[in-house]
Amino acid sequence: MLLKLACLIPLYPLIGSIINGFFGLKIGKNAVGLIACGSMALSFLTSVLVYVGFLMLPEGQHVFEQVVWTWFGAGDFSVDFGFQIDPLTLVMMFVVTGVGFIIHVYAIGYMHEEFSYYRFFAYFNLFASAMLLLVMGNNFLLMFIGWEGVGCCSYFLIGYYFEKKSACDAGTKAFIVNRVGDFAFLLAVMYIFNIFGTIDFTDVMHAAPEKLIYGGEIVTIITMLLFVGATGKSAQIPLYTWLPDAMEGPTPVSALIHAATMVTAGVYMVVRCNVLFNLSPLTMTVVAFIGGGTAIMAATIGMTQFDIKRVLAYSTVSQIGYMFLACGVGAYTAAIFHLVTHAFFKACLFLGSGSVIHGIHGEQDMRKMGGLKNHMPVTYWTFLVSTLAIAGIPPLSGFFSKDEVLYHSLMDGNIIFWGMGISAALLTAFYMFRLVFMTFHGESRVDPSVHPHESPKVMTMPLVVLAGLATVGGILGIPLIHGWHILHNWLEPVLHFDLASALQHSEHMLHQAGKHAPSWAHLLEPKEHNLWIESLLMLFSAAVALTGIFAAYMFYIKRPDLPAKFTEKQWGLDLVQNKYYVDELYDDAFVQPTIEGSKLLWKECDAKGIDGAVNGTAKIIGWFSRQAQAFQSGFVRNYALFIVVGFISLLLVMF
């Protein structure tokens, strides 16, 4: 059966990682690249076969679970090492393996001159394997193993250039910040086990409406902890600070982390646990506010950055905020839709930035670029297509996914959420075309000693493929005549939630506890998809995007003197340029106290206390030993004297 091949999908890149890690230096760069890309290609092809097998399942069966072995057990409790294949899993499998394969191919050209070529691809494959385990695991523990795996690999990849202090610091920062979120996630898993007696996804989600009270304290605590874990992995307020610094890693790492894997893990986890989140309206509101706030905050910072990769990094933080905004209003399909389209255009943008950096010999400051479109035509046009997509220009993919998020923010949320989303959309269009105009248009500001050139085909062909996907990816979200759209219909079995039944169970549990159930009738009012309102919102969002593009054109092409005039003595500019001093705040509140506390423990407790006690004991024993030496003189007369004195003392005691 084709579905039983699912266990091979994370196994292929794991094997590739082991081979390249242990034998990479001996087999040579060509073999390393072939093994790394081949393993990802096999994972993608196997995903296709699993998809075909899934379509062959009997009608009405939407989940396939493959238990490879029983991992461990204690009494009635056991944990299986198994995989869950459902529509959501398949979407993530295609994104991780498909986009991951393209990035691997690009990395062959980008990293070819690196001595540690084998080490890079060993980490790269291991990262992909951990991400696949995360999205395919059938229980929370396997998800957590994959969750920790991508975190550990991100430390290796971000700190790849370990000889640079900034890269080491960035890797350490990513590792520590993620541990904060991971701890909250682990607490949530423990809480779930305590309530349900199992950590299997299917069992937990099936039992949740019957065991948890809608809006109750327990489900709120669980979902809040899960969301804190998601903010760490997906770089949202307040745990977003690690992601911009992750730019210290090679560009393919940035593309893989930012586009298709690690940062989307939090969104995937929230969507996977949609039943739990649907039962907690308070958490949903928090998720929406954090997502919308992050989208705006990161967009404003992106407007002031000059490092091409950092602009894209803050863009990623902002776009992930869009996805959480969608999750917060219950539009999980819109969140996954934007996740998929974002993987296409953001991977293309990061790889395009890498092509620019490669073509001008390592320069990343946009103030030292300009006029590159004639030197790098393939990079320019693919970059432009992806920029139009992220700006939300029809008919590109980003337009449809962003519009769906904005529509649900208004219809399923409120005007505040929609206002946050549309504001972020305006800023996105502005700062992304600011990047395009400063990099590719205008007069050249490139160092005269540098001769810009187009990247080799092994780097440009992935750009063409990704730009094509960014162009046509919106097909998944085009409304159908009958029902919703392709992606919505595909995910419906996973995202279906019987709110009426859940409220009925909650009312029953409250009555049993002697409490009065609030009125939930307004929650059951049917909501119809209004095509006319969505059409008007589509036109408005397109107009907003064009406004942002026009503003960028005026500032950086037509009147390049305007940015300096506009920002001169502008209140709040330093605040935004310095990223709202969040890093400094964390440094003063957590980093420095930890360092000083560690020094205190070292000098006072360890050196003076523990070492003092040990060394003091040794000194005391040494002193007694020296005193005892007087009795060990070696003279017989002294020993005879001691015998006599002892004998007399014994007689005195006895009589």
Side-chain angles (χ1 to χ4, degrees), residues 506-522:
S506 297
E507 187 176 357
H508 178 68
M509 284 185 286
L510 287 171
H511 283 177
Q512 284 186 323
K515 299 179 180 179
H516 177 71
S519 177
W520 289 318
H522 64 284

PDB file of all heavy atoms in Angstrom, residues 506-522:
ATOM      1  N   SER A 506     -20.351  21.413  27.006  1.00  0.00           N
ATOM      2  CA  SER A 506     -19.905  22.378  28.007  1.00  0.00           C
ATOM      3  C   SER A 506     -21.040  22.755  28.951  1.00  0.00           C
ATOM      4  O   SER A 506     -20.849  22.843  30.173  1.00  0.00           O
ATOM      5  CB  SER A 506     -19.356  23.637  27.317  1.00  0.00           C
ATOM      6  OG  SER A 506     -18.217  23.340  26.541  1.00  0.00           O
ATOM      7  N   GLU A 507     -22.226  22.971  28.402  1.00  0.00           N
ATOM      8  CA  GLU A 507     -23.395  23.300  29.215  1.00  0.00           C
ATOM      9  C   GLU A 507     -23.718  22.170  30.186  1.00  0.00           C
ATOM     10  O   GLU A 507     -24.037  22.411  31.361  1.00  0.00           O
ATOM     11  CB  GLU A 507     -24.584  23.596  28.305  1.00  0.00           C
ATOM     12  CG  GLU A 507     -25.816  24.106  29.047  1.00  0.00           C
ATOM     13  CD  GLU A 507     -26.945  24.480  28.105  1.00  0.00           C
ATOM     14  OE1 GLU A 507     -26.748  24.405  26.866  1.00  0.00           O
ATOM     15  OE2 GLU A 507     -28.029  24.847  28.601  1.00  0.00           O
ATOM     16  N   HIS A 508     -23.618  20.938  29.698  1.00  0.00           N
ATOM     17  CA  HIS A 508     -23.888  19.779  30.537  1.00  0.00           C
ATOM     18  C   HIS A 508     -22.890  19.683  31.692  1.00  0.00           C
ATOM     19  O   HIS A 508     -23.278  19.428  32.841  1.00  0.00           O
ATOM     20  CB  HIS A 508     -23.855  18.511  29.687  1.00  0.00           C
ATOM     21  CG  HIS A 508     -24.081  17.250  30.464  1.00  0.00           C
ATOM     22  ND1 HIS A 508     -25.293  16.923  31.050  1.00  0.00           N
ATOM     23  CD2 HIS A 508     -23.227  16.222  30.774  1.00  0.00           C
ATOM     24  CE1 HIS A 508     -25.191  15.775  31.676  1.00  0.00           C
ATOM     25  NE2 HIS A 508     -23.943  15.320  31.523  1.00  0.00           N
ATOM     26  N   MET A 509     -21.596  19.899  31.402  1.00  0.00           N
ATOM     27  CA  MET A 509     -20.573  19.819  32.442  1.00  0.00           C
ATOM     28  C   MET A 509     -20.743  20.932  33.469  1.00  0.00           C
ATOM     29  O   MET A 509     -20.528  20.721  34.673  1.00  0.00           O
ATOM     30  CB  MET A 509     -19.181  19.886  31.804  1.00  0.00           C
ATOM     31  CG  MET A 509     -18.755  18.592  31.124  1.00  0.00           C
ATOM     32  SD  MET A 509     -17.046  18.617  30.503  1.00  0.00           S
ATOM     33  CE  MET A 509     -17.224  19.678  29.071  1.00  0.00           C
ATOM     34  N   LEU A 510     -21.145  22.107  33.042  1.00  0.00           N
ATOM     35  CA  LEU A 510     -21.371  23.212  33.967  1.00  0.00           C
ATOM     36  C   LEU A 510     -22.560  22.926  34.880  1.00  0.00           C
ATOM     37  O   LEU A 510     -22.517  23.202  36.088  1.00  0.00           O
ATOM     38  CB  LEU A 510     -21.591  24.512  33.195  1.00  0.00           C
ATOM     39  CG  LEU A 510     -20.346  25.132  32.546  1.00  0.00           C
ATOM     40  CD1 LEU A 510     -20.734  26.288  31.636  1.00  0.00           C
ATOM     41  CD2 LEU A 510     -19.360  25.610  33.611  1.00  0.00           C
ATOM     42  N   HIS A 511     -23.629  22.350  34.320  1.00  0.00           N
ATOM     43  CA  HIS A 511     -24.791  21.999  35.120  1.00  0.00           C
ATOM     44  C   HIS A 511     -24.435  20.938  36.148  1.00  0.00           C
ATOM     45  O   HIS A 511     -24.906  20.980  37.294  1.00  0.00           O
ATOM     46  CB  HIS A 511     -25.925  21.522  34.217  1.00  0.00           C
ATOM     47  CG  HIS A 511     -26.619  22.643  33.519  1.00  0.00           C
ATOM     48  ND1 HIS A 511     -27.594  22.489  32.643  1.00  0.00           N
ATOM     49  CD2 HIS A 511     -26.453  23.958  33.550  1.00  0.00           C
ATOM     50  CE1 HIS A 511     -28.019  23.651  32.165  1.00  0.00           C
ATOM     51  NE2 HIS A 511     -27.321  24.557  32.703  1.00  0.00           N
ATOM     52  N   GLN A 512     -23.593  19.958  35.766  1.00  0.00           N
ATOM     53  CA  GLN A 512     -23.163  18.924  36.708  1.00  0.00           C
ATOM     54  C   GLN A 512     -22.348  19.517  37.858  1.00  0.00           C
ATOM     55  O   GLN A 512     -22.391  19.005  38.981  1.00  0.00           O
ATOM     56  CB  GLN A 512     -22.346  17.849  35.992  1.00  0.00           C
ATOM     57  CG  GLN A 512     -23.171  16.870  35.162  1.00  0.00           C
ATOM     58  CD  GLN A 512     -22.327  15.745  34.610  1.00  0.00           C
ATOM     59  OE1 GLN A 512     -21.165  15.953  34.230  1.00  0.00           O
ATOM     60  NE2 GLN A 512     -22.888  14.539  34.541  1.00  0.00           N
ATOM     61  N   ALA A 513     -21.601  20.564  37.546  1.00  0.00           N
ATOM     62  CA  ALA A 513     -20.797  21.223  38.571  1.00  0.00           C
ATOM     63  C   ALA A 513     -21.596  22.235  39.379  1.00  0.00           C
ATOM     64  O   ALA A 513     -21.047  22.907  40.262  1.00  0.00           O
ATOM     65  CB  ALA A 513     -19.594  21.910  37.929  1.00  0.00           C
ATOM     66  N   GLY A 514     -22.902  22.339  39.083  1.00  0.00           N
ATOM     67  CA  GLY A 514     -23.760  23.273  39.803  1.00  0.00           C
ATOM     68  C   GLY A 514     -23.581  24.715  39.380  1.00  0.00           C
ATOM     69  O   GLY A 514     -23.911  25.633  40.136  1.00  0.00           O
ATOM     70  N   LYS A 515     -23.071  24.943  38.161  1.00  0.00           N
ATOM     71  CA  LYS A 515     -22.854  26.287  37.647  1.00  0.00           C
ATOM     72  C   LYS A 515     -23.826  26.584  36.514  1.00  0.00           C
ATOM     73  O   LYS A 515     -24.300  25.673  35.833  1.00  0.00           O
ATOM     74  CB  LYS A 515     -21.413  26.464  37.176  1.00  0.00           C
ATOM     75  CG  LYS A 515     -20.370  26.265  38.273  1.00  0.00           C
ATOM     76  CD  LYS A 515     -18.965  26.434  37.719  1.00  0.00           C
ATOM     77  CE  LYS A 515     -17.923  26.235  38.822  1.00  0.00           C
ATOM     78  NZ  LYS A 515     -16.541  26.370  38.288  1.00  0.00           N
ATOM     79  N   HIS A 516     -24.095  27.851  36.317  1.00  0.00           N
ATOM     80  CA  HIS A 516     -25.004  28.277  35.261  1.00  0.00           C
ATOM     81  C   HIS A 516     -24.216  28.558  33.987  1.00  0.00           C
ATOM     82  O   HIS A 516     -23.212  29.284  34.000  1.00  0.00           O
ATOM     83  CB  HIS A 516     -25.774  29.528  35.691  1.00  0.00           C
ATOM     84  CG  HIS A 516     -26.681  30.067  34.622  1.00  0.00           C
ATOM     85  ND1 HIS A 516     -27.837  29.419  34.246  1.00  0.00           N
ATOM     86  CD2 HIS A 516     -26.582  31.197  33.860  1.00  0.00           C
ATOM     87  CE1 HIS A 516     -28.429  30.116  33.297  1.00  0.00           C
ATOM     88  NE2 HIS A 516     -27.691  31.196  33.038  1.00  0.00           N
ATOM     89  N   ALA A 517     -24.643  27.978  32.891  1.00  0.00           N
ATOM     90  CA  ALA A 517     -23.976  28.171  31.603  1.00  0.00           C
ATOM     91  C   ALA A 517     -24.391  29.496  30.980  1.00  0.00           C
ATOM     92  O   ALA A 517     -25.583  29.831  30.980  1.00  0.00           O
ATOM     93  CB  ALA A 517     -24.315  27.029  30.656  1.00  0.00           C
ATOM     94  N   PRO A 518     -23.449  30.290  30.480  1.00  0.00           N
ATOM     95  CA  PRO A 518     -23.813  31.546  29.812  1.00  0.00           C
ATOM     96  C   PRO A 518     -24.534  31.284  28.496  1.00  0.00           C
ATOM     97  O   PRO A 518     -24.550  30.165  27.984  1.00  0.00           O
ATOM     98  CB  PRO A 518     -22.454  32.216  29.586  1.00  0.00           C
ATOM     99  CG  PRO A 518     -21.478  31.082  29.530  1.00  0.00           C
ATOM    100  CD  PRO A 518     -22.005  30.040  30.471  1.00  0.00           C
ATOM    101  N   SER A 519     -25.097  32.331  27.950  1.00  0.00           N
ATOM    102  CA  SER A 519     -25.793  32.208  26.670  1.00  0.00           C
ATOM    103  C   SER A 519     -24.773  32.205  25.527  1.00  0.00           C
ATOM    104  O   SER A 519     -24.000  33.149  25.372  1.00  0.00           O
ATOM    105  CB  SER A 519     -26.775  33.369  26.492  1.00  0.00           C
ATOM    106  OG  SER A 519     -27.394  33.303  25.226  1.00  0.00           O
ATOM    107  N   TRP A 520     -24.794  31.136  24.757  1.00  0.00           N
ATOM    108  CA  TRP A 520     -23.877  31.000  23.637  1.00  0.00           C
ATOM    109  C   TRP A 520     -24.610  31.003  22.297  1.00  0.00           C
ATOM    110  O   TRP A 520     -24.049  30.632  21.269  1.00  0.00           O
ATOM    111  CB  TRP A 520     -23.076  29.700  23.767  1.00  0.00           C
ATOM    112  CG  TRP A 520     -22.059  29.732  24.862  1.00  0.00           C
ATOM    113  CD1 TRP A 520     -21.233  30.761  25.167  1.00  0.00           C
ATOM    114  CD2 TRP A 520     -21.746  28.692  25.794  1.00  0.00           C
ATOM    115  NE1 TRP A 520     -20.420  30.416  26.224  1.00  0.00           N
ATOM    116  CE2 TRP A 520     -20.707  29.147  26.623  1.00  0.00           C
ATOM    117  CE3 TRP A 520     -22.234  27.394  25.987  1.00  0.00           C
ATOM    118  CZ2 TRP A 520     -20.159  28.380  27.638  1.00  0.00           C
ATOM    119  CZ3 TRP A 520     -21.681  26.628  27.003  1.00  0.00           C
ATOM    120  CH2 TRP A 520     -20.661  27.121  27.816  1.00  0.00           C
ATOM    121  N   ALA A 521     -25.881  31.414  22.324  1.00  0.00           N
ATOM    122  CA  ALA A 521     -26.694  31.327  21.105  1.00  0.00           C
ATOM    123  C   ALA A 521     -26.106  32.150  19.970  1.00  0.00           C
ATOM    124  O   ALA A 521     -26.171  31.757  18.799  1.00  0.00           O
ATOM    125  CB  ALA A 521     -28.124  31.781  21.403  1.00  0.00           C
ATOM    126  N   HIS A 522     -25.504  33.318  20.308  1.00  0.00           N
ATOM    127  CA  HIS A 522     -24.951  34.193  19.257  1.00  0.00           C
ATOM    128  C   HIS A 522     -23.798  33.541  18.515  1.00  0.00           C
ATOM    129  O   HIS A 522     -23.505  33.905  17.366  1.00  0.00           O
ATOM    130  CB  HIS A 522     -24.498  35.517  19.865  1.00  0.00           C
ATOM    131  CG  HIS A 522     -23.360  35.369  20.837  1.00  0.00           C
ATOM    132  ND1 HIS A 522     -23.523  34.880  22.112  1.00  0.00           N
ATOM    133  CD2 HIS A 522     -22.029  35.648  20.699  1.00  0.00           C
ATOM    134  CE1 HIS A 522     -22.357  34.862  22.741  1.00  0.00           C
ATOM    135  NE2 HIS A 522     -21.431  35.312  21.898  1.00  0.00           N
TER     136      HIS A 522
END
